[in-house]
Amino acid sequence: MKLVRFLLGLLVPPLGVFLTVGVGPTLLINVLLTLLGWLPGSIHAVWVIAKHEEQLGRQGSIY
């Protein structure tokens, strides 16, 4: 599933962010960046997905 989210983050940035964090301010920021251009939206999407995976890794190692 992680690979699918990264690929969607590159191809359709808002969809990748939506599948990762759901509806919220992060999705709105990504939609606005994607409207400004595909590249800013994709960079933001990959960053959001990577940070989310990093946080999940930290929470899993605590328990």
Side-chain angles (χ1 to χ4, degrees), residues 18-58:
F18 173 73
L19 290 175
T20 303
V21 296
V23 177
T26 306
L27 179 63
L28 179 63
I29 291 168
N30 189 265
V31 168
L32 293 174
L33 285 170
T34 303
L35 289 175
L36 289 173
W38 171 80
L39 187 61
S42 293
I43 292 170
H44 180 258
V46 169
W47 181 76
V48 167
I49 295 167
K51 285 296 180 181
H52 182 75
E53 293 295 328
E54 180 181 309
Q55 288 177 350
L56 287 179
R58 280 191 208 152

Side-chain angles (χ1 to χ4, degrees), residues 55-63:
Q55 288 177 350
L56 287 179
R58 280 191 208 152
Q59 289 175 356
S61 64
I62 291 173
Y63 298 109

